[in-house]
Amino acid sequence: MLFNKYKDDYKQVQSIGLDGKLRTVTFYEGSYFELPYDEKQFNKYKLVCAGFSLLFILIFLGAGLINPDSSKTAWIVFPYFFLFLPIGFNLLGTFNLLGQKCRMEKAGYEESIIRLKKSSMAILILAAINIILDLIFICINHNINFVIEFSYIAILLLLIASVVAFGVKYDKMFGGVIRNSN
């Protein structure tokens, strides 16, 4: 609770219960974020987010199964390994979204919908960096297997394309979020 950035969204009130004992009641006074559709539509969107999250993991693992010559170089491998972090955060945002309702508190909104957006952008940036570094590696080393190297780049391009497709769908799903303050 020491580093809780949402602590100001809650108010604690002391009251006397029916048994005469003093008790503390906590009320949420922060902003609510409401989605402009019903729970049934929101459940469909949750499945779409879960599908894209699973797709990101599968493409990431597919890129890892290819063993290009560049995978023996640290400045190529580390960006690929660090790509796991935003993919993991994307999966975590999806899990948090599964427990949310159409009307959510600020913490739930930021830990699900905003986390999906930010982690998807990080996936996009790291995949692009990885492609650029692999192209530099190809330009420096001419005695490599170009088919495997370009297959690796093609899979990373597929990851970028799926993130862009998710971004388009994300805008349609969560573009109309309404913020209500108490």
Side-chain angles (χ1 to χ4, degrees), residues 123-133 160:
I123 292 169
L124 185 74
I125 291 168
L126 280 174
I129 288 171
N130 207 333
I131 289 172
I132 292 168
L133 290 175
I160 289 175

Side-chain angles (χ1 to χ4, degrees), residues 121-175:
M121 290 301 296
I123 292 169
L124 185 74
I125 291 168
L126 280 174
I129 288 171
N130 207 333
I131 289 172
I132 292 168
L133 290 175
D134 202 44
L135 288 173
I136 292 170
F137 180 82
I138 290 171
C139 291
I140 292 172
N141 301 315
H142 300 291
N143 56 351
I144 56 174
N145 188 345
F146 289 102
V147 174
I148 293 176
E149 290 293 336
F150 285 114
S151 297
Y152 177 70
I153 290 174
I155 290 178
L156 289 177
L157 286 172
L158 180 64
L159 180 62
I160 289 175
S162 64
V163 170
V164 169
F166 175 69
V168 170
K169 189 68 176 168
Y170 178 92
D171 287 342
K172 290 179 183 175
M173 293 186 300
F174 304 118

Side-chain angles (χ1 to χ4, degrees), residues 8-164:
D8 294 334
D9 291 344
Y10 294 91
K11 181 179 178 184
Q12 293 186 345
V13 177
Q14 300 284 336
S15 66
I16 298 176
L18 296 175
D19 55 358
K21 293 183 180 178
L22 190 64
R23 59 180 230 182
T24 303
V25 180
T26 305
F27 296 102
Y28 181 74
E29 290 188 334
S31 299
Y32 283 98
F33 293 86
E34 295 183 29
L35 300 171
Y37 39 78
D38 60 351
E39 288 290 333
K40 186 176 181 181
Q41 186 70 28
F42 187 43
N43 288 334
K44 289 179 186 176
Y45 288 158
K46 289 177 186 180
L47 291 176
V48 169
C49 290
F52 272 107
S53 220
L54 183 63
L55 179 65
F56 297 158
I57 291 171
L58 292 175
I59 293 172
F60 172 75
L61 293 175
L65 291 176
I66 294 178
N67 191 15
D69 295 333
S70 63
S71 68
K72 299 167 184 77
T73 309
W75 52 277
I76 302 289
V77 171
F78 285 134
Y80 172 76
F81 283 139
F82 287 130
L83 193 57
F84 179 71
L85 293 172
I87 289 175
F89 277 111
N90 191 285
L91 186 63
L92 182 63
T94 301
F95 285 143
N96 287 337
L97 186 66
L98 294 176
Q100 297 296 328
K101 301 287 183 195
C102 279
R103 184 173 193 235
M104 57 188 85
E105 298 174 356
K106 183 179 178 182
Y109 176 72
E110 289 182 359
E111 291 174 356
S112 59
I113 295 175
I114 297 299
R115 182 175 286 166
L116 286 172
K117 179 181 180 180
K118 289 182 178 180
S119 63
S120 296
M121 290 301 296
I123 292 169
L124 185 74
I125 291 168
L126 280 174
I129 288 171
N130 207 333
I131 289 172
I132 292 168
L133 290 175
D134 202 44
L135 288 173
I136 292 170
F137 180 82
I138 290 171
C139 291
I140 292 172
N141 301 315
H142 300 291
N143 56 351
I144 56 174
N145 188 345
F146 289 102
V147 174
I148 293 176
E149 290 293 336
F150 285 114
S151 297
Y152 177 70
I153 290 174
I155 290 178
L156 289 177
L157 286 172
L158 180 64
L159 180 62
I160 289 175
S162 64
V163 170
V164 169

